[in-house]
Amino acid sequence: MSSDNRKTSLEELAFQNEEKDKRAAELAIANKELAFQNQEKDKRAAELAIANKELAFQNQEKDKRAAELAIANKELAFQNEEKDKRAAELAIANKELAFQNHEKDKRAAELAIANKELAFQNEEKGKRAAELAIANKELAFQNEEKGKRVKEKGKRAAELAIANKELAFQNEEKGKRAAELAIADKELVFQKKEKGKRAAELAIADKELVFQKKEKGKRVKEKGKRAAELAIANKELAFQNTEKDKRAAELSIANKELAIANKELAIANKELAFQNEEKGKLAEELNDFAFYDPLTGLPNRRLLIDRLHHALASSVRKGLEGTVMFIDMDNFKDINDTLGHGYGDLLLKQTATRLESCLRKGDTAARLGGDEFVLILEDLDKKTIKAATKVNIIADKIFATLNKPYQLDMHKYHSTVSIGAVFFDHEGNTAEELLKQADIAMYQAKQAGGNSIRFFNQEMQEIINVRITLENELRIAVEKSQFHLYYQIQINSSNRSCGAEALIRWMHPERGLVLPATFIPLAEETELILPIGQWVIDTACAQLRVWQKNTLTRDLTLSVNVSAKQFRQKNFVDQVQAALQRHAISGNLLKLELTESLLQEDIDVTIATMKALKKIGVQFSLDDFGTGYSSLQYLKHLPLEQFKIDQSFVRDIVTDRSDKAIVKAIISMAQLLKIEIIAEGVETIEQRQLLLDEGCIFFQGYLFSKPIPIDQFDALICRLTDT
């Protein structure tokens, strides 16, 4: 082979080896790929197995759930069945209760019959005891008679023995006489002379013998008779002894029966005493339930009306004036809303106790329900004027007593009351009419601010009628959104607008514009203030959203008045936050104006609510500052941005040194606490300048603008900007 051929063969071999290596590599790769595919196949098979198991598990779970659902349905059916059973059982229980009450009455009747039966048994016992005494006497008598008969029998036996001896003696004498007769016969011849004498003697002896024979027969008969009587007497004695034993046994049984009857009587008496006691308790409870308030223990309306009828009759009879006082607690619902009804009940109990301590002997305190109490004051005076003086004295005592702090568990609480009074006019007014009139007078006291007393007159009826009409119309106004917001501008020391206060107005379809002073107090009493207050906040936020679109108004804050009831709602923070989010505005543009009265109760809850609102940016202004009873101790803890000086101090600040001193003190305190000051009710340039000199740089009042609709307010902003 040539070198070229060898070279070619070597190259070919090398190529083949290379191809072989390539194929081996490819085969190795293919094997790896196949192994990988097999591995993937195994994985997929495992996953499929897992999936199948999961599917089987899901099917199993599905079956379980279906079974559970079936069980739940059965359980529901069972519960419904149980519910029906319980309803049926309740009905049966009611029937059983009625039956038990019926049985109780029957047992009471049976007990009465048992008492009668026991009395009859006692009477029979007495009779039996009397009969037993008679039987004992009879037995003693019979025993005595038996002794006598035994003695008589012995005596007769002795007499019989004597008679026998006499008979034997007589027989012996007879023999002797027969012998003598024989001798006499033998001697007859000899004694012929004596024959007549002896014949006569013999005849006499014969008669005597016949007589003795007769006596002997009689005695034999008598002996037989007495023996028969003795046998009868013995039988009688045996019978009496048997009867005595029977009566003794009967007496023993009777004594045992009597002992048992006495025990039963004692048990029956105890049962009767227990039932009488229970009946007395039940009667007392029913009486208390029917005539007394379960919470305070005072007479309820039913007993009050009855006592008022008696008081009216007594007043006419004696000619002395009397008074009905209707008492209602001011803002009582606040304590239920803030602390809960349990604390409200504690307050009612303590109020009832204090009211009773204020009354004279013979007067009546009652609770009608809720926070309403009624007093009946009798025998005041013949003259109405003097009677009214006494009523005022009692009212002052009531105010002084009820205005003292109440300790309700861990809380200290202050409360006031409104009192309406009406005199017995002796003109035929009924108890119900007097209560209605006193109630009307009480509402007049509430409208005057509470913590006061008012006397009824006929004009009050017209006022209350107007109030009822207004309340109905106010409810319609809430439903139909008849309210509008007016805006009063707030100015800084540079005469630039810095904000406004939103003030609600009622556009009545017939009355026209109704100011807040007319309807807000009524809204507070009826709790319509809650939907109204929520509407105000939402409308204010909507207006702030509109202002955000204008460079002239985007920095204005808007102040909104918030009532204590509205602020104390559990979801108040959520309401405000929802309004801010709904209109997409910043919380620092909204300023809530709170009154000092809000700080009088549950300050900790108030602070917590303010801090929660502060977190979302809401600002706070303390309205009418200086007119309430806020504690300076709490002011440092309140997250306040602003004090609002009340217009009552601003009105006469130029001429009244006291008002000026108060305003100066408020401003100084605010500066020390680093709290902003704004004065409301500014009407003159002199007032503004004096306030400015003292350090107040924000103002609100008629000097700048009265509250006006939004279109006029926007125009006012434009004018101020132009100037």
Side-chain angles (χ1 to χ4, degrees):
M1 186 179 289
S2 64
S3 59
D4 291 332
N5 289 333
R6 286 179 181 176
K7 185 178 179 180
T8 302
S9 297
L10 290 172
E11 287 177 354
E12 181 68 27
L13 183 60
F15 174 76
Q16 290 176 353
N17 289 333
E18 186 180 352
E19 286 295 313
K20 183 180 179 181
D21 293 335
K22 285 183 180 178
R23 288 180 182 176
E26 288 174 354
L27 183 59
I29 292 169
N31 287 332
K32 288 181 180 179
E33 180 68 26
L34 181 60
F36 175 76
Q37 289 176 355
N38 288 332
Q39 187 178 1
E40 287 298 309
K41 182 179 178 182
D42 293 337
K43 285 183 180 179
R44 288 180 183 176
E47 289 175 352
L48 183 60
I50 292 170
N52 288 332
K53 288 181 180 179
E54 180 68 20
L55 181 60
F57 175 76
Q58 290 177 354
N59 289 332
Q60 187 178 0
E61 286 297 309
K62 183 178 178 181
D63 293 336
K64 284 183 180 179
R65 290 180 183 175
E68 290 173 352
L69 182 61
I71 292 170
N73 288 331
K74 289 181 180 179
E75 180 67 23
L76 181 60
F78 176 76
Q79 290 176 353
N80 289 332
E81 185 179 356
E82 285 298 307
K83 183 179 178 183
D84 295 336
K85 285 183 180 179
R86 289 180 183 175
E89 288 173 355
L90 183 60
I92 292 169
N94 290 331
K95 290 181 180 179
E96 179 67 21
L97 181 60
F99 175 76
Q100 289 176 354
N101 290 331
H102 181 63
E103 285 297 307
K104 183 179 177 183
D105 295 336
K106 285 173 71 176
R107 289 180 183 174
E110 289 172 356
L111 185 59
I113 293 169
N115 287 333
K116 291 181 180 179
E117 180 65 24
L118 182 60
F120 174 77
Q121 289 176 357
N122 287 333
E123 185 179 355
E124 286 297 307
K125 178 184 173 184
K127 288 181 179 179
R128 289 181 182 176
E131 289 174 355
L132 183 60
I134 293 169
N136 288 332
K137 289 180 181 179
E138 180 67 20
L139 183 60
F141 174 77
Q142 289 175 357
N143 288 333
E144 185 180 356
E145 286 296 310
K146 180 181 176 183
K148 287 181 179 180
R149 289 178 181 175
V150 170
K151 289 180 180 179
E152 184 68 28
K153 181 180 177 183
K155 185 179 179 181
R156 289 182 179 175
E159 290 177 349
L160 185 59
I162 293 168
N164 288 332
K165 288 180 180 180
E166 180 67 27
L167 183 59
F169 174 74
Q170 289 176 358
N171 289 331
E172 185 180 357
E173 286 295 317
K174 181 179 177 183
K176 285 180 180 180
R177 288 179 182 177
E180 289 175 351
L181 183 59
I183 293 168
D185 288 332
K186 290 177 180 179
E187 293 176 351
L188 183 58
V189 176
F190 176 74
Q191 293 176 351
K192 286 181 178 181
K193 292 181 180 179
E194 296 292 329
K195 182 180 179 180
K197 292 181 181 179
R198 290 181 179 179
E201 289 175 359
L202 183 60
I204 292 170
D206 288 336
K207 288 182 181 179
E208 181 65 25
L209 182 60
V210 171
F211 174 76
Q212 288 177 354
K213 286 181 178 180
K214 287 182 179 180
E215 284 298 317
K216 182 180 178 182
K218 286 182 180 180
R219 286 176 183 174
V220 170
K221 288 182 180 180
E222 186 67 27
K223 181 180 178 181
K225 185 177 179 182
R226 288 182 180 176
E229 288 177 351
L230 183 59
I232 293 169
N234 287 332
K235 289 181 180 179
E236 180 68 24
L237 181 59
F239 175 76
Q240 289 176 354
N241 288 333
T242 304
E243 287 296 313
K244 179 181 178 182
D245 293 337
K246 286 182 180 179
R247 289 184 182 178
E250 289 175 354
L251 182 60
S252 176
I253 293 169
N255 287 332
K256 289 180 180 178
E257 290 176 350
L258 183 60
I260 293 170
N262 286 333
K263 288 182 180 178
E264 291 176 349
L265 178 61
I267 294 170
N269 286 334
K270 287 181 181 178
E271 179 68 22
L272 181 60
F274 175 75
Q275 290 179 354
N276 288 335
E277 184 179 356
E278 288 296 312
K279 185 177 179 182
K281 287 181 181 178
L282 181 60
E284 187 176 350
E285 289 175 359
L286 290 174
N287 182 69
D288 289 344
F289 182 76
F291 296 104
Y292 292 91
D293 173 48
L295 178 64
T296 63
L298 295 179
N300 60 14
R301 184 183 187 90
R302 184 177 179 182
L303 184 56
L304 171 71
I305 295 296
D306 182 68
R307 290 189 180 180
L308 188 50
H309 284 307
H310 287 291
L312 288 170
S314 176
S315 178
V316 173
R317 188 169 60 253
K318 296 178 181 178
L320 294 173
E321 269 293 2
T323 299
V324 175
M325 297 177 72
F326 199 107
I327 300 175
D328 187 90
M329 302 179 72
D330 298 328
N331 304 316
F332 174 73
K333 193 174 183 300
D334 290 348
I335 190 172
N336 286 336
D337 293 341
T338 56
L339 298 180
H341 291 275
Y343 288 94
D345 290 346
L346 286 176
L347 179 60
L348 290 172
K349 289 180 181 178
Q350 293 186 27
T351 301
T353 302
R354 293 188 186 188
L355 279 175
E356 286 187 302
S357 69
C358 297
L359 297 183
R360 307 164 304 159
K361 186 177 181 180
D363 293 337
T364 295
R367 180 183 176 223
L368 289 188
D371 60 331
E372 295 177 340
F373 297 87
V374 173
L375 307 181
I376 303 175
L377 309 180
E378 299 186 60
D379 301 340
L380 293 171
D381 201 279
K382 290 185 177 180
K383 295 183 178 180
T384 304
I385 295 177
K386 290 184 178 180
T389 303
K390 292 182 179 180
V391 172
N392 277 323
I393 293 172
I394 296 173
D396 289 341
K397 185 178 180 182
I398 291 172
F399 287 131
T401 304
L402 299 188
N403 286 348
K404 293 177 181 178
Y406 293 83
Q407 189 64 44
L408 307 177
D409 198 5
M410 301 299 293
H411 297 271
K412 185 172 286 186
Y413 185 81
H414 292 268
S415 179
T416 60
V417 296
S418 298
I419 302 177
V422 60
F423 289 105
F424 302 169
D425 59 8
H426 303 163
E427 293 181 1
N429 273 349
T430 64
E432 293 288 352
E433 288 171 342
L434 287 175
L435 286 176
K436 184 177 180 181
Q437 292 170 356
D439 189 16
I440 292 171
M442 181 274 296
Y443 271 105
Q444 190 181 41
K446 274 195 177 296
Q447 291 172 354
N451 203 30
S452 59
I453 183 172
R454 293 291 185 272
F455 289 89
F456 173 79
N457 56 53
Q458 290 298 325
E459 295 176 358
M460 294 180 195
Q461 185 66 56
E462 298 178 5
I463 294 172
I464 202 68
N465 289 340
V466 171
R467 180 188 180 279
I468 293 172
T469 302
L470 185 62
E471 180 182 341
N472 293 333
E473 293 176 347
L474 186 58
R475 294 185 184 277
I476 295 172
V478 172
E479 294 173 0
K480 296 186 176 181
S481 301
Q482 295 176 354
F483 301 105
H484 296 272
L485 285 185
Y486 276 38
Y487 301 84
Q488 188 172 31
I489 197 167
Q490 295 174 340
I491 299 293
N492 61 20
S493 58
S494 301
N495 285 331
R496 296 292 180 182
S497 60
C498 58
E501 181 180 0
L503 299 165
I504 191 170
R505 297 291 186 267
W506 179 9
M507 301 303 297
H508 194 282
E510 297 177 0
R511 302 171 187 262
L513 183 64
V514 182
L515 297 177
T518 303
F519 67 88
I520 289 298
L522 182 59
E524 290 274 4
E525 293 178 19
T526 58
E527 296 197 0
L528 290 172
I529 195 64
L530 300 180
I532 292 174
Q534 189 171 356
W535 176 86
V536 169
I537 290 177
D538 189 74
T539 305
C541 290
Q543 186 57 52
L544 284 170
R545 179 61 182 169
V546 174
W547 283 350
Q548 291 295 292
K549 300 176 183 178
N550 191 329
T551 56
L552 297 178
T553 56
R554 65 175 51 175
D555 295 326
L556 294 180
T557 60
L558 188 54
S559 298
V560 173
N561 291 286
V562 178
S563 74
K565 289 184 178 180
Q566 183 184 3
F567 187 82
R568 291 195 180 102
Q569 293 180 97
K570 292 182 179 180
N571 63 340
F572 179 68
V573 175
D574 295 335
Q575 288 181 12
V576 175
Q577 187 172 15
L580 293 172
Q581 292 174 349
R582 186 163 49 251
H583 299 288
I585 61 169
S586 175
N588 61 3
L589 297 175
L590 181 65
K591 187 179 292 182
L592 302 182
E593 293 194 3
L594 310 178
T595 60
E596 290 189 45
S597 62
L598 189 63
L599 309 180
Q600 295 179 33
E601 302 169 15
D602 212 344
I603 187 66
D604 293 334
V605 175
T606 300
I607 293 173
T609 303
M610 291 177 70
K611 287 182 177 179
L613 290 167
K614 188 71 176 176
K615 287 181 180 179
I616 59 176
V618 176
Q619 301 185 63
F620 293 97
S621 175
L622 190 56
D623 196 13
D624 302 332
F625 187 77
T627 61
Y629 303 95
S630 61
S631 172
L632 300 179
Q633 178 183 357
Y634 293 117
L635 287 179
K636 62 183 180 181
H637 299 296
L638 298 173
L640 294 168
E641 280 75 28
Q642 188 181 76
F643 285 165
K644 200 167 193 179
I645 302 175
D646 188 68
Q647 60 183 343
S648 62
F649 301 127
V650 175
R651 185 182 302 112
D652 299 322
I653 191 173
V654 176
T655 57
D656 192 310
R657 294 176 61 185
S658 298
D659 285 343
K660 183 177 180 181
I662 291 172
V663 169
K664 185 176 181 179
I666 293 173
I667 295 172
S668 298
M669 181 172 60
Q671 290 172 343
L672 290 172
L673 294 173
K674 297 181 180 181
I675 294 176
E676 181 184 286
I677 281 287
I678 184 171
E680 67 175 350
V682 180
E683 298 181 353
T684 66
I685 296 175
E686 291 81 2
Q687 292 172 344
R688 178 186 178 279
Q689 188 59 48
L690 197 152
L691 288 164
L692 188 60
D693 292 342
E694 295 295 339
C696 180
I697 59 174
F698 297 100
F699 313 96
Q700 178 182 339
Y702 277 22
L703 177 62
F704 314 102
S705 173
K706 64 181 181 179
I708 53 180
I710 188 61
D711 54 344
Q712 297 180 28
F713 181 83
D714 289 340
L716 176 62
I717 294 294
C718 292
R719 289 197 302 273
L720 289 174
T721 304
D722 293 340
T723 58

